[in-house]
Amino acid sequence: MLTKRIIPCLDIKDGRTVKGVNFVDLRDAGDPVELAKQYADVGADELVFLDISATLEGRGTTLEMVMHVAEQVNIPFTVGGGISSIAHVDALLQCGADKISINSSAVKRPELINELSNKFGSQCIVVAIDAKQVDGEWKVHLAGGSIPTDIDLFEWAKDVEQRGAGEILFTSMNHDGTKNGFANKALAKLSEELNIPIIASGGAGNVQHFIDTFKDGKADAALAASVFHFGEIPIPDLKKELKASNIEVRL
């Protein structure tokens, strides 16, 4: 059985880690490189760095930060934010990133997924999908959740898989930062309809939420930010609880 992964997410703005609720009201959570090292030391399985203002500001993710992180951590890490070309992905991987995450750029030009997968291999291409439930239907949103579309979450996820993505990072905007639990029904549907791993994001508030998303949501990995950044759930304690609930994790 594949082990379930615990992934701290560091949203980066102006070189600092930030965290908000429902994608707004951001507050400072510390230096990203220092946090990354701490997480690697206490047993995080992977890390995700999202430069949340890169797309809106029309620029790429900072290469210098990626190099500093690569020097400090010994676990895989994914980098996303404003990535829209083969050259940019090549530079990020050269700087030490293990995977890259694309979101808005993939929706605007879906062929980018094919191009990156063909060039670098699907194992390092993560497609992040921010979606919001509107009148009972899950709709994809772009640019850090600020631009709504009519694109259906599940149809887009299937397209993403067919184009060669190796993994999907699904964030429920309805649940993000609320600490009321993950969007497990949507996650379970994604897991049933796709054959690639699904990372659950948005809504972690306590240990039971992680247990529920692995059991009910059938997620392959669970990503969280504030509960880790502000010390509410220590990762070693979380993993022990998961193990006690018969969920396979790397201790």
Side-chain angles (χ1 to χ4, degrees), residues 96-194:
D98 297 279
K99 306 178 195 178
I100 61 93
S101 170
I102 52 175
N103 189 334
S104 301
S105 58
V107 177
K108 290 171 184 170
R109 198 171 73 82
E111 301 79 24
L112 180 65
I113 304 169
N114 304 69
E115 293 165 9
L116 296 179
S117 177
N118 290 337
K119 173 79 175 172
F120 303 105
S122 62
Q123 78 286 344
C124 67
I125 308 303
V126 179
V127 174
I129 305 176
D130 298 331
K132 192 175 193 177
Q133 198 168 25
V134 182
D135 297 329
E137 295 185 358
W138 285 96
K139 297 297 183 182
V140 174
H141 284 57
L142 308 183
S146 63
I147 302 172
T149 75
D150 285 329
I151 300 167
D152 177 77
L153 161 66
F154 304 102
E155 293 306 313
W156 174 232
K158 286 178 198 167
D159 190 17
V160 160
E161 179 180 39
Q162 288 166 359
R163 289 179 180 277
E167 205 161 18
I168 285 175
L169 166 54
F170 162 54
T171 300
S172 163
M173 292 175 61
N174 305 76
H175 295 70
D176 179 71
T178 63
K179 300 187 181 177
N180 292 325
F182 295 92
N184 291 326
K185 285 185 181 175
L187 283 160
K189 186 175 178 183
L190 285 169
S191 189
E192 285 158 12
E193 294 185 356
L194 305 177

Side-chain angles (χ1 to χ4, degrees), residues 4 208 210-219 242 244-247:
K4 303 293 188 180
Q208 189 61 46
F210 286 89
I211 294 170
D212 292 343
T213 204
F214 289 133
K215 290 191 171 179
D216 302 335
K218 299 181 171 63
L242 291 170
S245 297
N246 297 314
I247 294 166

Side-chain angles (χ1 to χ4, degrees), residues 6 18 28 50 68 93 108 122 138 142 147 149 199 224 248:
I6 299 299
V18 295
D28 190 274
L50 298 177
H68 289 316
L93 296 176
K108 290 171 184 170
S122 62
W138 285 96
L142 308 183
I147 302 172
T149 75
I199 304 169
E248 261 329 291

